[in-house]
């Protein structure tokens, strides 16, 4: 009986420690994926690690690869990688007012349909896609990038990686 009680006490202590650790890792605000009230439908200026990607939950740190979806109600969803935007939109039926991305060449926010995409960028999720405002040789349209992303033909595929990067 004494051994049973010791085992039960040990399990209770371990569970308590895990709960305390999980609670201490959280913030007072919790995860932040959405900014409400953006009725001007303009890009929301955020700081690195202020919001998490709505698709993969990573902190948004590399602002030059970030993207935002703004709904007609003014809800703004944040993304760390344009590939995450494609995945997130594919799984949802959501009305969008604007879908915008930051560009590597100018640093401007532009509509994703007006941007041109590289396939070999060191993007946060490693898909390789990154936006440019000005068309250059080798860049592809949003529709082509979206199709490649949904087909899994990005840098996570070793054959694609080898053909694009020679690695």
């Amino acid at each position: 009986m004494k051994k049973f009680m010791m085992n039960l006490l040990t399990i209770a202590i371990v569970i308590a420690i895990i709960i305390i650790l999980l609670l201490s890792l959280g913030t007072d605000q919790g995860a932040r994926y959405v900014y409400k009230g953006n009725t001007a439908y303009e890009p929301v200026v955020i700081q690195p690690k202020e919001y998490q990607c709505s698709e993969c939950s990573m902190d948004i740190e590399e602002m030059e690869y970030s993207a935002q979806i703004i709904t007609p109600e003014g809800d703004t969803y944040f993304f760390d990688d344009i590939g995450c935007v494609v995945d997130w939109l594919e799984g949802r039926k959501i009305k969008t007012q604007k879908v915008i991305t930051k560009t590597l060449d100018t640093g401007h926010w532009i509509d994703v349909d007006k941007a041109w995409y590289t396939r070999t960028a060191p993007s946060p999720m490693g898909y390789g896609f990154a936006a440019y405002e000005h068309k250059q040789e080798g860049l592809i349209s949003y529709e082509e990038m979206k199709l490649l992303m949904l087909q899994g033909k990005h840098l996570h595929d070793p054959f694609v990686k080898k053909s694009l990067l020679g690695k």
Side-chain angles (χ1 to χ4, degrees):
M1 182 70 166
K2 192 174 185 181
K3 187 175 183 180
F4 175 75
M5 292 302 285
M6 288 300 291
N7 287 339
L8 190 62
L9 182 62
T10 302
I11 291 171
I13 291 172
V14 169
I15 290 172
I17 290 171
I18 290 171
I19 291 171
I20 291 169
L21 285 173
L22 289 174
L23 290 174
S24 69
L25 292 175
T27 64
D28 57 342
Q29 292 180 325
R32 296 194 56 190
Y33 301 102
V34 181
Y35 175 88
K36 303 255 183 203
N38 184 7
T39 54
Y41 309 116
E42 294 297 324
V44 175
V45 178
I46 65 170
Q47 300 301 314
K49 297 185 179 185
E50 183 178 6
Y51 281 88
Q52 287 81 40
C53 178
S54 293
E55 173 65 15
C56 70
S57 299
M58 274 183 41
D59 283 342
I60 299 172
E61 296 184 46
E62 300 177 62
M63 305 313 286
E64 63 271 17
Y65 293 99
S66 63
Q68 298 180 16
I69 294 176
I70 307 169
T71 68
E73 298 78 33
D75 294 342
T76 302
Y77 296 87
F78 302 96
F79 301 87
D80 64 336
D81 190 299
I82 192 67
C84 286
V85 170
V86 173
D87 280 347
W88 194 82
L89 283 173
E90 185 65 16
R92 289 170 180 72
K93 293 183 190 281
I94 187 170
K95 282 190 169 184
T96 60
Q97 181 74 23
K98 278 186 174 181
V99 182
I100 54 177
T101 185
K102 196 85 174 233
T103 59
L104 289 179
D105 57 342
T106 64
H108 296 148
W109 286 100
I110 65 171
D111 187 284
V112 294
D113 290 319
K114 294 180 180 172
W116 299 95
Y117 298 87
T118 181
R119 296 184 65 194
T120 59
S123 64
M125 289 304 296
Y127 297 122
F129 300 114
Y132 285 80
E133 188 167 357
H134 303 293
K135 185 167 172 68
Q136 302 170 24
E137 187 176 330
L139 298 183
I140 59 175
S141 69
Y142 177 73
E143 286 304 316
E144 187 174 350
M145 182 275 295
K146 179 179 168 183
L147 182 62
L148 291 169
M149 181 64 197
L150 293 174
Q151 292 174 341
K153 295 180 180 176
H154 45 67
L155 292 184
H156 286 188
D157 180 324
F159 297 109
V160 171
K161 187 173 187 173
K162 184 171 184 167
S163 72
L164 293 175
L165 300 176
K167 296 179 182 180

